[in-house]
Amino acid sequence: MPLPTVIVPGYLESAIAYLRLETSLTQLGFPTVTVPLRRRDWLPTVGGRPVTPILQKLDLTVKQILQQYQSQQVNLIGHSAGGWISRIYLGEKPYTPRNQTHPSVWNAHPFVASLITLGTPHISQEHWTRWNLDFVTNNYPGAFYQNVRYVCVAGKTIFGARRPGSWLAYSSYKLTCGQGNTWGDGITPIASAHLEGAENPIIEGVRHSPRSPGIWYGSPEALKIWVKYLL
């Protein structure tokens, strides 16, 4: 039987946005739940503050699904920021952001078989993400844990340029990887979505968010490309 799977929403996103993906995976035989986040749950993390509240909810969800299915491991699917948050969750180094006196350690990598990230900015030059992403990069570079299968899915959909229709992508790419004239999913450039040592597939035509028009990473057309990594 396939391992149970936990979806980690992207920044400022609620679990509701992933309901169709959750249903699709369950129908394919992968029992799936989404970390039950509401948009307001992200408010304490705004401005680069600690993502501890999200990690706590992730940890509770993983423990519940392990118990429910009497399983030793789960698969994690992290969309956007949910991907690098999942990498913090895997680790054993004390997570002690600014103004936080009690360090937190989850050390969850023994319980995670695979981590699939969808459009995750694993590197960024944005001010609000720098502390957290530097923490991940410095402590857990690349596909850090050999016992975890890392799959980092990128989208090749919009080429950033200083022209109508491509300006948002250009600005987002430049903030993320320092270069605007490159390919990505409209928000995350390919250069930021991949990790050294991971399996790094590229899907053409997918947009970043479940709320984007057209196809996104969780749409059936894209899902059939990356779902094989859950087997």
Side-chain angles (χ1 to χ4, degrees), residues 45-58:
T45 75
V46 170
R49 287 179 285 181
V51 292
T52 309
I54 309 302
L55 286 157
Q56 290 170 339
K57 286 184 176 291
L58 168 58

Side-chain angles (χ1 to χ4, degrees), residues 97-225:
R98 300 180 300 272
N99 302 321
Q100 181 173 306
T101 56
H102 301 290
S104 300
V105 179
W106 288 272
N107 195 27
H109 67 92
F111 310 111
V112 177
S114 297
L115 169 61
I116 297 180
T117 66
L118 307 175
T120 291
H122 290 291
I123 59 171
S124 178
Q125 298 183 21
E126 289 184 277
H127 176 71
W128 71 270
T129 59
R130 283 298 299 274
W131 190 92
N132 281 307
L133 280 173
D134 285 351
F135 175 85
V136 178
T137 301
N138 293 335
N139 288 292
Y140 316 113
F144 187 75
Y145 290 105
Q146 294 184 357
N147 58 304
V148 178
R149 184 181 192 181
Y150 291 78
V151 181
C152 301
V153 186
K156 184 180 180 182
T157 308
I158 300 176
F159 187 84
R162 293 179 174 179
R163 62 171 182 264
S166 301
W167 181 260
L168 174 61
Y170 176 89
S171 301
S172 182
Y173 299 166
K174 190 170 180 62
L175 276 172
T176 306
C177 72
Q179 179 182 353
N181 298 114
T182 189
W183 283 99
D185 62 15
I187 298 295
T188 302
I190 294 173
S192 295
H194 285 168
L195 277 178
E196 184 177 354
E199 296 169 83
N200 294 311
I202 297 174
I203 303 178
E204 296 193 11
V206 295
R207 291 179 178 266
H208 182 76
S209 169
R211 300 182 186 273
S212 301
I215 298 171
W216 84 288
Y217 293 99
S219 298
E221 301 93 329
L223 176 58
K224 67 181 182 182
I225 296 175

